[in-house]
Amino acid sequence: SGPDKEMARALPWLIFAATLLLLASIKSSTASRMAKPGCQETCGNLTIPYPFGIGQGCFYSEGFDVSCENNRVFMHNSSSQMEIYNISLAGGQTRVSTFIASKCFYSNSNNTDGWVSSNTADFFKISTKANKLTAVGCNTLAFLGGYNEHSVGAGCFSMCADKQSVDHSGQCSGMGCCQTSIAPNLSSSNISFDDRFDNSEVRGFNPCSYAFVAEQDWFRFEASYLEDNKFTEKFNNGVPTVLDWVAGHENCDEAGNDMSSSACISKNSHCIMSPNATGYLCTCSDGFAGNPYLEGGCQDINECSFPDQYPCLGICSNAIGDYSCSCNSGTTSIDPKRETCKPIAVSERARLTKIFIGNLHILRIFCK
């Protein structure tokens, strides 16, 4: 019958259209996938990209294993008390919570003296560029001892004899708060206080001192932090610290020579040396985006969908790993990616026509 014939003619096109939709769906899901196939990709509001992962077989190696507990992500599990706030594949960094060391003097018979120590997994280091040792308190000398193949240390001193000498500018100037840089590539650290200095003479307005390693741009000092336990009450979950991580300790030449062990397994990815730690990271090649640590993780960017990043003032055409920009017929531009296409002037059109006719004449002579 007529309707059956029409359906028969339309069926191949319907199948073709369905196939295109399926391929688009597959490409979309592949491009957005950041975890290993079959592994949990998100916890709360945080995306967990491989080499990090939840559960056996879902992470790259020891140290990259994380847990999801009550919509919060922890290094290894919550017993580490290191909650993960952010993971950056591009920068090779993760932002985690760490402890605060404290020392209090309430009376001659009631005082506390605490210290904090930490150790990182093999591919992780405490970032020297992103963090600083910070001490809060008066008459306070705090130390950070650590190891990076050498025994290293740093310290800072804060002095304020009374409330009037506390700096209220918000800066850590040494008057109520001090900061200093830390050694690179620290795999272990210990924060402590010098026993020769305490809060006995300032306990009326500053009974406790605190020290921690935290992201340097995060902390802003407030004079009220010196009072009672206001500092630890506000930061009872710890402070944010940046860890640098690498996919391997080799350089890119060494990692590239052994593809069986290289972490850069996606097509259209390559190795780069970490700008922050000793070792290498992986990144998608230009024109591609995604997770370079996964097979098929780096997918072509449709540059035409992101005009702010990939400008085109004419007709944008996507290509694998690149894009082109051209002008409509009758318009021209020296560079349509940067300059607007303008109508070709009559004189210019005539000149181009003459060139075309001249070339056509030469072609005819050549063909004879």
Side-chain angles (χ1 to χ4, degrees), residues 83-86 93-97 215 218 240-243:
E83 184 176 356
I84 299 176
Y85 302 129
N86 176 265
Q93 292 184 323
T94 182
R95 197 169 178 252
V96 303
S97 63
E215 190 175 15
W218 162 81
T241 304
V242 177
L243 303 181

Side-chain angles (χ1 to χ4, degrees), residues 133-135 140-145 152-158 178-182 192:
L133 170 66
T134 302
T140 300
L141 177 56
F143 288 115
L144 172 69
V152 296
C156 75
F157 182 65
S158 173
C178 64
Q179 285 185 326
T180 190
S181 300
I182 63 175
S192 60

Side-chain angles (χ1 to χ4, degrees), residues 123-141:
F123 292 132
F124 293 76
K125 298 289 184 277
I126 301 170
S127 178
T128 184
K129 294 181 180 179
N131 302 305
K132 283 192 181 296
L133 170 66
T134 302
V136 175
C138 295
N139 205 27
T140 300
L141 177 56

